[in-house]
Amino acid sequence: MVYILLGAGFEEAEALVTADVLRRADIPVALTGIGGELIAGSHGIAVRADRPVEEVVLEQGDMVVLPGGMGGVASIEASAAAMALVRRAAEDPGIWLAAICAAPTLLARAGLLPRGARCVCYPGLEDELSKAGAVPAMDRSAVVQGRLITGKGPGAAFDFGLALAEALAGPETAAQVRAGLHYGV
């Protein structure tokens, strides 16, 4: 299962494009709410969560996805339940962790980025990654580093979602989804 964490102020494109791409790849996705069932994004689009963050129990092969949006990232950081999931995903080699836009900086502040890991974030925030010992790869829209996947920002949402689909379902499935979306053709 992929759990996309939604906190007030999340970046809608990053969460919803990612969810859509993964569902097209037949990967189960749960929009996971922090602080309620109806979560308002950074552009005023309210999204109904499938389940509250407090009900998530991670299992091997699961993935935790952190959309950006400064408010959404702050909501994740302020939630003990959300941060427990993030820490578990970062520390358990059987669970995937993905973060896009401002969310990789949350990982940096929490000390959860592996030293020397290549990753990407919203342009202008890469100093936070460097201070944590990561290596910003700002020439990429999405970077896969082991079980950590990072994305640049809203414009990279399709590349990010496709990188997640490839990691979880394989390159053939990701290619089929890409072709069905007519993305990059």
Side-chain angles (χ1 to χ4, degrees):
M1 175 70 73
V2 174
Y3 298 98
I4 300 177
L5 304 187
L6 304 181
F10 73 94
E11 174 55 57
E12 295 95 335
E14 295 163 0
L16 299 179
V17 167
T18 300
D20 180 88
V21 168
L22 292 173
R23 287 181 177 171
R24 287 171 190 261
D26 293 323
I27 297 169
V29 173
L31 299 174
T32 307
I34 299 168
E37 183 179 353
L38 196 60
I39 313 295
S42 61
H43 298 96
I45 300 171
V47 174
R48 185 170 312 282
D50 298 318
R51 70 182 62 174
V53 69
E54 293 81 7
E55 291 182 6
V56 174
V57 177
L58 294 174
E59 298 178 8
Q60 296 299 296
D62 285 347
M63 176 182 280
V64 175
V65 178
L66 312 177
M70 297 304 275
V73 170
S75 295
I76 293 169
E77 285 180 306
S79 166
M83 286 305 295
L85 292 178
V86 172
R87 282 189 188 89
R88 168 94 192 279
E91 295 166 359
D92 188 324
I95 297 174
W96 291 85
L97 180 60
I100 185 170
C101 194
T105 65
L106 174 156
L107 302 176
R109 287 189 296 277
L112 299 174
L113 286 178
R115 293 200 67 72
R118 293 189 58 213
C119 52
V120 65
C121 64
Y122 191 81
L125 301 177
E126 55 270 29
D127 282 352
E128 289 195 52
L129 305 182
S130 296
K131 288 177 188 173
V135 179
M138 299 305 289
D139 60 330
R140 307 283 309 274
S141 57
V143 175
V144 178
Q145 178 80 47
R147 288 190 170 265
L148 173 66
I149 302 173
T150 54
K152 190 176 268 187
F158 280 99
D159 290 333
F160 180 71
L162 288 164
L164 272 58
E166 183 171 335
L168 295 172
E172 287 183 22
T173 298
Q176 290 170 350
V177 171
R178 178 184 293 273
L181 289 167
H182 296 279
Y183 179 71
V185 293

